[in-house]
């Protein structure tokens, strides 16, 4: 029984079934998701016998960092957390003018196989539970003593490949009686699992959906991302239009620029044509080279040229500022080097 993954109704059912009065569920929920103490014995208003019973019968997920790297350049912190079964996952803390942001993992490893990404090199180990996703944020608040206002599900793993746990995580994270993060301050990034994008649209959340596009033709996209064999860019963009219709939320397209592969002005033009008429923003990410592959970063000139071309054709674009370059900032690099 993974108690921190239960919403308030499920917790009430559990508490009543175990012979306790229903109001205890609210108290417990508050300790876990508002005061966020690390063990039952800190829950002052719960009877000691109940604390004991709970610690015998439930799993109380608390993540402890096994390693923390702090960037000397920008103060970005990269956390490696150990899970109860010996797996490790990574999360990143970043300070911005608009507030503190945490980037969390949704799976240990990943099975999507994107060519430039370190998270997927050893495949998927397992899905993370809602509590393990939440705890990455809680643990970083505990460690930094600073309030987290923004969350991006953009670390290792494919969130839409762990869809049910993702939904529960969103429910708990944005619950006004819990952590109470605004849905508007939450971003979920996907490599483009088309049916799940539609399902998520039907939920009408006001979170930001980010789509990893990375190419402007199916042919090139298939070279970088195996998921492109399952869904064409046309199908993907149709799902994006559907998502916008349902939620009214502007989409973000992520485009990692790989030198000599997808960074020409012609690529930019094709991309602008594809995205014409979609309410969106393009986030350009100079690829972060990993040692297992020989992809190289586009030069500053190519990056600027790409951005200018998009903007001339009426597509909003920003170049993502690189944070934590000195601490294995890219997806999955720290976990991989730790496991090795
Ligand atoms: N699976 C999700 C979320 C995790 S990856 C997704 O695909 O969107 C977060 C983003 O970082 C994705 O756009 C991914 O393609 C990109 N990314 C991963 N490794 C990278 C690297 N080495 N350099 C640049 N971008 C990378």
């Amino acid at each position: 029984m993974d108690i921190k993954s239960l919403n308030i109704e499920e917790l009430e059912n559990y508490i009543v079934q175990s012979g306790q009065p229903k109001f205890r569920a609210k108290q417990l929920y508050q300790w876990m998701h508002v005061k966020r103490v690390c063990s039952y014995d800190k829950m002052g208003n719960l009877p000691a016998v109940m604390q004991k019973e709970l610690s015998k019968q439930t799993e109380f997920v608390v993540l402890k960092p096994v390693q923390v790297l702090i960037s000397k350049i920008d103060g970005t912190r990269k956390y490696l957390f150990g899970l109860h079964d010996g797996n490790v996952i990574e999360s990143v803390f970043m300070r911005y003018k608009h507030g503190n942001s945490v980037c969390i993992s949704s799976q240990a490893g990943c099975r999507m196989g994107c060519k430039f990404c370190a998270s997927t090199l050893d495949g998927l180990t397992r899905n993370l539970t809602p509590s393990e996703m939440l705890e990455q944020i809680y643990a970083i608040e505990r460690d930094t003593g600073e309030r987290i206002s923004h969350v991006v599900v953009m670390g290792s793993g494919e969130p839409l490949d762990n869809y049910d746990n993702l939904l529960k995580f969103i429910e708990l994270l944005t619950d006004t009686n819990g952590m109470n993060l605004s849905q508007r301050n939450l971003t979920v990034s996907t490599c483009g699992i088309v049916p799940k994008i539609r399902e998520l649209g039907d939920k009408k959340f006001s979170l930001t959906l980010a789509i990893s596009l990375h190419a402007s033709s199916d042919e090139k996209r298939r070279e970088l991302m195996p998921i492109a064999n399952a869904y064409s860019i046309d199908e993907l963009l149709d799902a994006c239009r559907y998502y916008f219709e349902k939620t009214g939320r502007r989409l973000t397209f992520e485009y990692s620029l790989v030198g000599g592969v997808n960074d020409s002005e012609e690529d930019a033009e094709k991309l602008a044509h594809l995205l014409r008429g979609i309410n969106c923003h393009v986030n350009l990410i100079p690829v972060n080279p990993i040692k297992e592959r020989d992809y190289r970063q586009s030069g500053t000139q190519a990056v600027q040229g790409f951005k200018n071309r998009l903007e001339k054709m009426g597509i909003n674009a920003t170049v993502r500022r690189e944070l934590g370059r000195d601490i294995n900032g890219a997806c999955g690099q720290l976990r991989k080097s730790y496991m090795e």
Side-chain angles (χ1 to χ4, degrees):
M1 168 61 71
D2 168 16
I3 197 155
K4 262 192 208 177
S5 288
L6 302 182
N7 65 22
I8 187 68
E9 291 80 32
E10 292 164 336
L11 193 60
E12 279 171 354
N13 286 340
Y14 173 71
I15 290 298
V16 170
Q17 266 168 30
S18 57
Q20 298 286 340
K22 192 169 154 189
F23 74 91
R24 293 290 181 205
K26 277 216 175 69
Q27 294 178 323
L28 188 53
Y29 192 86
Q30 268 227 326
W31 284 115
M32 291 192 289
H33 299 291
V34 182
K35 297 172 194 155
R36 293 184 228 132
V37 295
C38 288
S39 60
Y40 289 121
D41 57 19
K42 302 262 162 52
M43 302 184 178
N45 58 1
L46 297 188
V49 267
M50 184 178 169
Q51 294 176 4
K52 271 224 184 76
E53 247 343 87
L54 284 169
S55 50
K56 259 192 266 162
Q57 298 191 345
T58 67
E59 186 199 353
F60 192 81
V61 171
V62 174
L63 297 189
K64 300 234 165 66
V66 291
Q67 201 179 346
V68 186
L69 300 180
I70 304 177
S71 167
K72 291 193 179 68
I73 306 170
D74 50 48
T76 297
R77 288 169 178 238
K78 191 128 197 185
Y79 289 85
L80 203 60
F81 291 111
L83 306 180
H84 66 89
D85 58 359
N87 275 302
V88 289
I89 53 168
E90 56 185 71
S91 327
V92 190
F93 168 82
M94 292 158 288
R95 283 199 192 93
Y96 291 100
K97 284 197 196 82
H98 61 254
N100 294 325
S101 178
V102 165
C103 174
I104 65 156
S105 294
S106 55
Q107 296 177 316
C110 182
R111 60 183 182 134
M112 294 298 131
C114 299
K115 292 286 161 36
F116 43 79
C117 179
S119 299
T120 197
L121 289 167
D122 298 317
L124 175 67
T125 307
R126 70 166 171 88
N127 283 328
L128 297 187
T129 60
S131 59
E132 287 167 337
M133 291 191 244
L134 274 176
E135 256 294 308
Q136 295 172 59
I137 302 155
Y138 295 178
I140 291 177
E141 274 205 351
R142 285 196 297 271
D143 187 66
T144 57
E146 293 183 39
R147 169 107 184 118
I148 311 292
S149 57
H150 291 69
V151 172
V152 294
V153 187
M154 222 181 247
S156 296
E158 168 49 49
L160 300 190
D161 188 38
N162 185 14
Y163 187 72
D164 293 339
N165 286 344
L166 176 79
L167 288 187
K168 181 59 85 56
F169 161 74
I170 295 172
E171 179 186 354
L172 293 171
L173 179 73
T174 60
D175 181 4
T176 49
N177 294 313
M179 167 98 188
N180 194 18
L181 191 111
S182 160
Q183 281 185 5
R184 294 179 163 268
N185 292 357
L186 173 64
T187 299
V188 174
S189 177
T190 177
C191 65
I193 301 181
V194 165
K196 293 293 175 197
I197 293 175
R198 290 177 177 268
E199 273 185 51
L200 191 65
D202 289 333
K203 297 282 174 200
K204 297 191 186 345
F205 292 132
S206 44
L207 54 81
T208 299
L209 186 64
I211 307 286
S212 299
L213 195 56
H214 304 326
S216 52
S217 72
D218 284 319
E219 203 187 346
K220 273 196 191 178
R221 194 162 189 264
R222 283 187 209 118
E223 278 170 31
L224 296 170
M225 309 175 71
I227 191 74
N229 294 305
Y231 309 106
S232 67
I233 292 181
D234 279 349
E235 287 171 307
L236 176 57
L237 295 182
D238 275 346
C240 290
R241 288 186 195 94
Y242 181 85
Y243 187 88
F244 181 78
E245 255 171 52
K246 291 287 167 181
T247 62
R249 298 288 293 166
R250 184 179 79 162
L251 290 134
T252 297
F253 289 98
E254 295 163 274
Y255 194 103
S256 294
L257 288 159
V258 188
V261 174
N262 64 1
D263 64 343
S264 71
E265 294 210 6
E266 198 195 329
D267 289 310
E269 264 173 45
K270 274 200 199 146
L271 181 62
H273 281 298
L274 282 176
L275 300 184
R276 185 160 288 163
I278 301 180
N279 189 341
C280 69
H281 178 91
V282 174
N283 214 236
L284 298 170
I285 317 165
V287 84
N288 203 330
I290 57 174
K291 68 175 189 325
E292 291 81 0
R293 303 266 190 264
D294 52 13
Y295 291 123
R296 62 180 174 80
Q297 216 170 57
S298 306
T300 339
Q301 246 185 337
V303 174
Q304 272 312 316
F306 199 96
K307 176 175 186 279
N308 293 342
R309 195 88 215 140
L310 283 180
E311 283 179 337
K312 275 209 190 92
M313 295 180 70
I315 306 289
N316 266 300
T318 44
V319 178
R320 186 180 294 172
R321 196 159 60 95
E322 274 185 90
L323 292 173
R325 184 69 194 275
D326 55 333
I327 52 166
N328 278 324
C331 259
Q333 287 187 351
L334 178 61
R335 173 173 186 266
K336 175 105 177 109
S337 62
Y338 180 85
M339 295 198 332
E340 275 165 7

